[in-house]
Amino acid sequence: MALHIDTLGYGAAFLTTISFIPQALKVWREDNTSAISLGMYSLFVMGILLWLVYGAYIANYPITVANGITLCLAVSILYKKLQHVRAGRKL
Amino acid sequence: MALHIDTLGYGAAFLTTISFIPQALKVWREDNTSAISLGMYSLFVMGILLWLVYGAYIANYPITVANGITLCLAVSILYKKLQHVRAGRKL
């Protein structure tokens, strides 16, 4: 039974991590972040950073790797949003 | 020392959970999901559902509560995006 539980956890981590790939691709391809919340990605990046430190500290490989990938994707979205904010585009 | 680690985990869960509040508010207030990826929120909602089942199964209160809140917020964003897709607005 334990196998199923861990598989569930890995499945959940996998889905929530890869889910940011289509969003990052869409933002960069269409150069459009008008509906993207600066507040969300600022808070989210901070939270993911904490998860990364937490995972590394407890030496939990899945948490560390999943959040490392998510961090790169979320930062790329936040970066594009900040570019638009600096260019004076609608928040 | 253990206290700090758990606090880190709770802090990470808190930030990544509340980060979806400004995004949900923005999407509903501005009725704009043009930059929101349907792919992201479809995968993300599935992943969060798995986290919820995983957290409930291992009787982990923070994982269950945090993902329960995130699920409501993410579903509200996905719902608004699907509304727009059905109305034929740009994907």
Side-chain angles (χ1 to χ4, degrees):
Chain A
M1 203 50 180
L3 176 72
H4 293 299
I5 309 307
D6 287 347
T7 318
L8 210 60
Y10 285 123
F14 178 71
L15 283 173
T16 47
T17 298
I18 65 163
S19 71
F20 282 87
I21 293 173
Q23 182 65 79
L25 288 175
K26 183 176 174 64
V27 156
W28 280 85
R29 231 184 253 146
E30 298 174 11
D31 195 33
N32 171 16
T33 60
S34 60
I36 299 289
S37 161
L38 179 61
M40 169 178 165
Y41 279 87
S42 307
L43 289 167
F44 189 78
V45 163
M46 282 189 277
I48 291 293
L49 264 173
L50 287 188
W51 275 125
L52 194 57
V53 171
Y54 175 75
Y57 203 95
I58 62 171
N60 181 303
Y61 192 67
I63 289 182
T64 310
V65 171
N67 285 287
I69 296 167
T70 307
L71 183 65
C72 297
L73 294 164
V75 164
S76 80
I77 296 165
L78 179 60
Y79 176 79
K80 179 56 81 172
K81 181 68 182 180
L82 287 171
Q83 261 187 349
H84 289 165
V85 169
R86 268 201 300 272
R89 279 168 64 169
K90 202 175 91 44
L91 247 181
Chain B
M1 199 52 178
L3 176 73
H4 292 299
I5 309 309
D6 287 347
T7 317
L8 210 60
Y10 285 122
F14 177 73
L15 282 172
T16 48
T17 298
I18 65 164
S19 70
F20 283 87
I21 294 173
Q23 182 65 78
L25 288 175
K26 182 176 174 66
V27 157
W28 281 85
R29 230 184 253 147
E30 299 175 8
D31 195 35
N32 171 15
T33 60
S34 61
I36 299 290
S37 163
L38 180 60
M40 168 177 166
Y41 278 86
S42 307
L43 289 169
F44 189 78
V45 163
M46 282 190 277
I48 292 293
L49 264 171
L50 286 188
W51 275 124
L52 193 59
V53 171
Y54 175 75
Y57 204 95
I58 61 170
N60 180 303
Y61 193 67
I63 289 182
T64 310
V65 171
N67 285 286
I69 296 168
T70 307
L71 184 65
C72 297
L73 293 165
V75 164
S76 79
I77 296 166
L78 179 59
Y79 177 79
K80 178 57 80 174
K81 181 68 182 179
L82 288 171
Q83 262 187 347
H84 289 165
V85 169
R86 268 201 301 270
R89 280 169 60 169
K90 205 177 88 47
L91 245 181

